[in-house]
Amino acid sequence: MASIKPLSDRVLVRPDSAEEKTSSGIIIPDSAKEKPQRGTVVAVGPGKYENGNKIGMTVKEGDKVLYGKYAGNEIEIDGEELMIMRESDILGVLS
Amino acid sequence: MASIKPLSDRVLVRPDSAEEKTSSGIIIPDSAKEKPQRGTVVAVGPGKYENGNKIGMTVKEGDKVLYGKYAGNEIEIDGEELMIMRESDILGVLS
Amino acid sequence: MASIKPLSDRVLVRPDSAEEKTSSGIIIPDSAKEKPQRGTVVAVGPGKYENGNKIGMTVKEGDKVLYGKYAGNEIEIDGEELMIMRESDILGVLS
Amino acid sequence: MASIKPLSDRVLVRPDSAEEKTSSGIIIPDSAKEKPQRGTVVAVGPGKYENGNKIGMTVKEGDKVLYGKYAGNEIEIDGEELMIMRESDILGVLS
Amino acid sequence: MASIKPLSDRVLVRPDSAEEKTSSGIIIPDSAKEKPQRGTVVAVGPGKYENGNKIGMTVKEGDKVLYGKYAGNEIEIDGEELMIMRESDILGVLS
Amino acid sequence: MASIKPLSDRVLVRPDSAEEKTSSGIIIPDSAKEKPQRGTVVAVGPGKYENGNKIGMTVKEGDKVLYGKYAGNEIEIDGEELMIMRESDILGVLS
Amino acid sequence: MASIKPLSDRVLVRPDSAEEKTSSGIIIPDSAKEKPQRGTVVAVGPGKYENGNKIGMTVKEGDKVLYGKYAGNEIEIDGEELMIMRESDILGVLS
C-alpha cells in the first residue's frame, strides 16, 4: 500500500465505519451542532514549530480519536478513504 | 464505560439536566444575549503550549462550571450526552 | 448564596439598576453609538497568561466600573442578574 | 463631579464644542473620508502590557488631541458628554 | 500656524497639489487599481513599540513620499488640507 | 528550460497528470469536501523567518506530495504547467 | 529620471511588456486562478523589522521575479509604469 507521511502537526486518520460507531458506545447525537467523528490514527507528522520551539505531537499511531465533522481533507489510498487533519482538530483520545 | 482523554486545553463536561438547573439557584435569563450553561467537569486535558511555555489547567475533575451556550462539541458516550470544549470557553467555577 | 469564581481575566459584575444610574450623575446619551454600562465588581479572576507571563488584574471587588453595552454574558444567581466579562471589556473605574 | 480612572491604555477626552472647532483653525473638511475629531485629555490609564512589557502612555492630562470620528465610547458625567478611547485611536497632539 | 505632533508611528503629510503632480514626472495611471498619492512629510511621530522594542521612523521631515489613495485621515489646519497616516502606509521615498 | 527559485517557504510542484493519478492508487473521492491534489516537488525555497528564527524546509526536490485543491498559483514554463505554493499548503509526502 | 526608494520590505518592479512575456517561455495560463506576473526588480527597501529583528531582503536589483496579479500598487514615473509591492508578494526568482 502507498503510504503518506503527514507534514508538520498533521495526523492521518482512518475513520471508523458507520457499523463500528454504533457498536462502540459512541453515538453521534442528531442535534444541529457540529458533531465529532471517530477514527484511528494511522500516521503522525513530526510536529510544528512555534517561534522557533518545536511542539511535539500528543497523539500516536493506533490512538482512537474524536475529531470535528468538518476537520481536515479526505484522501483515498488503494481504495481506502482516509482523513488528514491538524492535531488541533482532534478533540480527544478514547481509552 | 468508554472514557475520553481531552487533548490540549480541552475539558470534558457533563451538562446539568434541566431539573438540576432549576433547583440550583442558577437560572438562565430569557434575554436575547448568549446564555451560559452549567455542568460538571469529567476530565481535563494536559494544557496547551504558548510560545514554548506550557499553560496548566485551572479547572479540575468535579468542578461545577459555567460555559457559553455555543461552546464546544457535543458527544454521546454509552448513551450519555457530554460536552468537550476549550478551557477558555469556561466562564467561571461555582463554589 | 451560590458564588462564582471567574476564570482567567474575567470579572463578575452586578449591574446598577436603572434607578441608580439616573441618580449617580452618569447618564447614558441616546446617540447611535455603543453606550457604556455601569456596575459593581463582585468577583475577579486570577488574571490571564500572555506568552508565559501572568498579567495581574487591575479591578478589584467593590470597584464601580463602566463597560460596553454588548460586553460579557448575563447569568442569574439566586434570582439576581449578574454579568461576567473579560477585564478588557471594562472601560474605566469610577471614583 | 464623579471622576473616571480609565483602564489599560484608555484615555478620557472632553470633546471640543462645535464653536471651539471653528475658531481654532482646525476645520474638518467635508469629504467622504473618516474625519478626525478634536478634544482635551481629562484622564489617562496606566498603560497596557504587551508580552509582559508595560507600554507607558504618551498623552497626558491637558493635551489637545485629534482622534478618529468613530473612535471610543461616549459617556456622560454630571451632564457633560465625554469620550473614552484607546490611546491608539489618538492620531496626534496639537501644540 | 497650529502644529500637530503625530503619535506612535504616524506621519503628517502635505499632499502635492494636482499641478505639482503633473510637472513632477509622477503621473497616476487611470487603471482600476488603488493608486499611490504623493506629498511631503511635515512631521513624524516618535515611532511605535513592538513587544517592548522601539521601532524608529524611516521617513523624516521634508521627504517626498508616495502613499496609497485610501491611507490615513484628512485634517485641515489654518485652511490647509493635510494627511495623517501610519508610516506603514508610505510606499516609498522619492529622491 | 527557464528555472524558478521559490522565495521564502514556497515550493514549486509539477502536478501529476490525470492519467498518473489513476494508476497510482491515490484516487480523489467525489465528495463535496476540498480534495487534495498530487504532484512532484521541482524546487524549494530557503525557508521562512519567524521572529528571527529561520524555519527550514521539510520537503525536498523529487518528493511526491499531496496538496489542497485551491493551494498556490499556477505558472507555465516552456509550455509546462507548474504550481507554486507555501510549504504549509502541503498536506503530506507519499512514500 | 526621478527615482523611488521603497520603504520597509517593499520592492519596485518594472513589469515585462506583453511581448517579452510571450518570448520568454513563461506563459500565463488562461484558467480562473490568480495568475502570476513577471518583471524586473528596479529597487528594494532595507527590509522590515519583526519583533526587533531586522529581516533582510532576498531579492536584489536586476532579479527577474514572478508576482501575483493583484499584488502591489501601480505607479508611473517619467511615463513608465512600475509596480511597488512587498517582498512577500513575490513568488519566485527566475534564473
Side-chain angles (χ1 to χ4, degrees):
Chain A
M1 184 185 118
S3 81
I4 294 170
K5 179 70 186 160
L7 247 66
S8 188
D9 59 337
R10 288 191 181 82
V11 178
L12 187 68
V13 175
R14 176 179 294 117
D16 285 358
S17 67
E19 286 72 28
E20 279 184 89
K21 268 177 211 153
T22 308
S23 64
S24 70
I26 305 284
I27 304 157
I28 308 301
D30 59 356
S31 80
K33 283 211 169 184
E34 181 185 338
K35 295 158 194 167
Q37 307 287 318
R38 185 186 175 188
T40 304
V41 173
V42 175
V44 299
K48 67 171 172 179
Y49 282 88
E50 200 178 75
N51 290 334
N53 303 292
K54 189 168 184 175
I55 309 296
M57 301 296 281
T58 301
V59 301
K60 60 184 188 306
E61 206 187 310
D63 279 354
K64 301 279 186 184
V65 292
L66 287 169
Y67 52 91
K69 191 176 184 178
Y70 302 109
N73 289 69
E74 287 180 12
I75 57 171
E76 195 175 318
I77 304 188
D78 299 335
E80 185 186 27
E81 199 166 303
L82 301 179
M83 299 295 297
I84 192 160
M85 65 190 71
R86 294 194 175 273
E87 192 181 75
S88 58
D89 291 325
I90 296 180
L91 303 171
V93 178
L94 291 151
S95 56
Chain B
M1 185 185 118
S3 81
I4 294 170
K5 178 71 186 159
L7 248 66
S8 189
D9 59 337
R10 287 190 182 83
V11 178
L12 187 68
V13 174
R14 176 179 295 118
D16 284 358
S17 68
E19 286 72 29
E20 279 184 88
K21 268 176 211 154
T22 309
S23 64
S24 71
I26 305 285
I27 304 158
I28 307 302
D30 59 356
S31 80
K33 284 210 168 183
E34 181 184 339
K35 296 159 194 166
Q37 307 288 318
R38 185 186 174 189
T40 304
V41 174
V42 175
V44 299
K48 67 171 172 179
Y49 282 87
E50 200 178 75
N51 291 334
N53 303 292
K54 190 169 184 174
I55 309 295
M57 301 296 281
T58 302
V59 300
K60 60 185 189 304
E61 205 187 310
D63 279 353
K64 300 279 185 183
V65 293
L66 286 169
Y67 52 91
K69 191 175 185 179
Y70 303 109
N73 290 69
E74 287 180 13
I75 56 171
E76 195 175 320
I77 304 187
D78 299 335
E80 184 186 25
E81 200 167 302
L82 301 179
M83 299 295 297
I84 193 160
M85 64 190 72
R86 294 193 176 272
E87 192 181 74
S88 59
D89 291 325
I90 296 180
L91 303 172
V93 178
L94 291 151
S95 55
Chain C
M1 185 184 118
S3 81
I4 294 169
K5 179 72 185 158
L7 248 66
S8 188
D9 59 338
R10 288 189 181 84
V11 178
L12 187 68
V13 175
R14 176 180 295 119
D16 284 358
S17 68
E19 285 72 28
E20 279 184 87
K21 267 176 210 152
T22 309
S23 63
S24 70
I26 305 286
I27 304 158
I28 307 301
D30 59 356
S31 80
K33 283 209 168 185
E34 181 185 338
K35 296 157 195 167
Q37 307 288 318
R38 184 186 175 189
T40 304
V41 173
V42 175
V44 299
K48 67 172 173 180
Y49 282 88
E50 200 178 75
N51 290 335
N53 303 293
K54 190 170 184 173
I55 309 296
M57 301 295 282
T58 302
V59 300
K60 60 186 188 305
E61 205 187 312
D63 280 352
K64 301 278 184 185
V65 293
L66 287 169
Y67 52 92
K69 191 176 185 179
Y70 303 109
N73 290 71
E74 287 180 11
I75 56 171
E76 194 175 321
I77 304 188
D78 299 335
E80 184 185 27
E81 200 166 303
L82 301 179
M83 299 294 297
I84 193 160
M85 65 191 69
R86 294 193 176 272
E87 192 181 75
S88 59
D89 291 324
I90 297 179
L91 303 171
V93 177
L94 291 151
S95 56
Chain D
M1 185 184 119
S3 82
I4 294 170
K5 179 70 185 161
L7 248 66
S8 188
D9 59 338
R10 288 191 181 83
V11 178
L12 187 68
V13 175
R14 176 180 295 118
D16 284 359
S17 68
E19 285 73 27
E20 279 184 90
K21 267 176 209 151
T22 309
S23 64
S24 71
I26 304 286
I27 304 158
I28 307 303
D30 59 357
S31 80
K33 283 208 169 185
E34 180 186 339
K35 296 156 195 168
Q37 307 287 317
R38 185 186 174 191
T40 304
V41 173
V42 175
V44 299
K48 67 171 173 179
Y49 282 88
E50 200 178 75
N51 290 336
N53 303 292
K54 189 169 184 174
I55 309 297
M57 301 295 283
T58 302
V59 300
K60 61 184 186 307
E61 205 187 311
D63 280 354
K64 301 278 184 185
V65 293
L66 287 169
Y67 52 91
K69 192 176 184 178
Y70 303 110
N73 290 71
E74 286 180 12
I75 56 170
E76 195 175 320
I77 304 188
D78 299 334
E80 186 186 26
E81 201 167 301
L82 300 178
M83 299 294 298
I84 192 160
M85 64 191 69
R86 294 193 176 273
E87 192 180 75
S88 59
D89 291 325
I90 296 180
L91 304 171
V93 178
L94 292 151
S95 56
Chain E
M1 183 185 119
S3 81
I4 294 170
K5 178 69 185 163
L7 249 66
S8 187
D9 59 337
R10 288 191 181 82
V11 178
L12 187 68
V13 175
R14 176 180 294 119
D16 285 359
S17 68
E19 284 73 28
E20 281 184 88
K21 269 176 209 150
T22 309
S23 65
S24 71
I26 305 287
I27 303 159
I28 308 302
D30 58 357
S31 79
K33 283 209 168 185
E34 181 185 337
K35 295 156 194 168
Q37 308 287 318
R38 185 187 175 190
T40 304
V41 174
V42 175
V44 300
K48 67 171 172 179
Y49 283 88
E50 201 178 74
N51 291 334
N53 304 292
K54 189 168 185 175
I55 309 297
M57 301 296 282
T58 302
V59 301
K60 61 184 186 307
E61 206 187 310
D63 280 354
K64 300 279 186 185
V65 293
L66 287 169
Y67 52 91
K69 192 177 184 178
Y70 302 110
N73 290 70
E74 286 180 12
I75 56 169
E76 195 175 320
I77 304 188
D78 299 334
E80 186 187 26
E81 201 168 300
L82 301 179
M83 299 294 298
I84 192 160
M85 63 190 70
R86 294 192 175 274
E87 192 181 75
S88 59
D89 291 325
I90 296 180
L91 303 172
V93 178
L94 291 151
S95 55
Chain F
M1 184 184 119
S3 80
I4 293 170
K5 179 70 185 161
L7 246 65
S8 188
D9 58 338
R10 289 191 180 82
V11 178
L12 187 68
V13 175
R14 176 180 294 116
D16 285 358
S17 67
E19 286 72 27
E20 280 184 89
K21 268 178 210 150
T22 308
S23 65
S24 70
I26 305 284
I27 304 158
I28 307 301
D30 59 356
S31 80
K33 282 209 169 187
E34 181 185 337
K35 296 158 194 167
Q37 307 287 317
R38 184 186 176 189
T40 304
V41 173
V42 176
V44 299
K48 68 172 172 179
Y49 283 88
E50 201 178 74
N51 289 335
N53 303 291
K54 190 170 184 173
I55 309 296
M57 300 296 281
T58 302
V59 301
K60 59 184 188 305
E61 206 188 309
D63 280 352
K64 301 279 187 185
V65 292
L66 287 169
Y67 53 91
K69 192 176 185 179
Y70 303 109
N73 290 69
E74 287 180 12
I75 56 171
E76 194 175 319
I77 303 188
D78 299 335
E80 184 186 27
E81 200 166 301
L82 301 178
M83 297 295 297
I84 192 160
M85 65 191 71
R86 294 194 175 273
E87 192 180 77
S88 59
D89 290 325
I90 296 180
L91 303 171
V93 178
L94 291 152
S95 58
Chain G
M1 183 184 119
S3 80
I4 293 170
K5 178 71 184 162
L7 248 64
S8 188
D9 58 337
R10 289 190 181 82
V11 178
L12 186 68
V13 175
R14 176 180 294 117
D16 285 359
S17 68
E19 285 72 26
E20 280 184 87
K21 268 176 209 153
T22 308
S23 65
S24 71
I26 305 286
I27 303 158
I28 307 301
D30 59 356
S31 79
K33 283 209 169 186
E34 181 185 337
K35 295 157 194 167
Q37 307 288 317
R38 184 186 175 190
T40 304
V41 173
V42 175
V44 300
K48 68 172 172 178
Y49 282 87
E50 200 178 74
N51 290 335
N53 304 292
K54 190 169 184 174
I55 309 296
M57 301 296 282
T58 302
V59 301
K60 59 185 188 306
E61 207 188 309
D63 280 353
K64 300 279 186 185
V65 293
L66 287 168
Y67 52 91
K69 192 177 185 178
Y70 303 110
N73 290 70
E74 287 180 13
I75 56 170
E76 195 175 319
I77 303 188
D78 299 335
E80 184 185 27
E81 201 166 301
L82 302 178
M83 298 295 298
I84 192 160
M85 63 190 71
R86 294 193 174 273
E87 192 181 76
S88 59
D89 290 325
I90 296 179
L91 303 172
V93 177
L94 291 151
S95 57

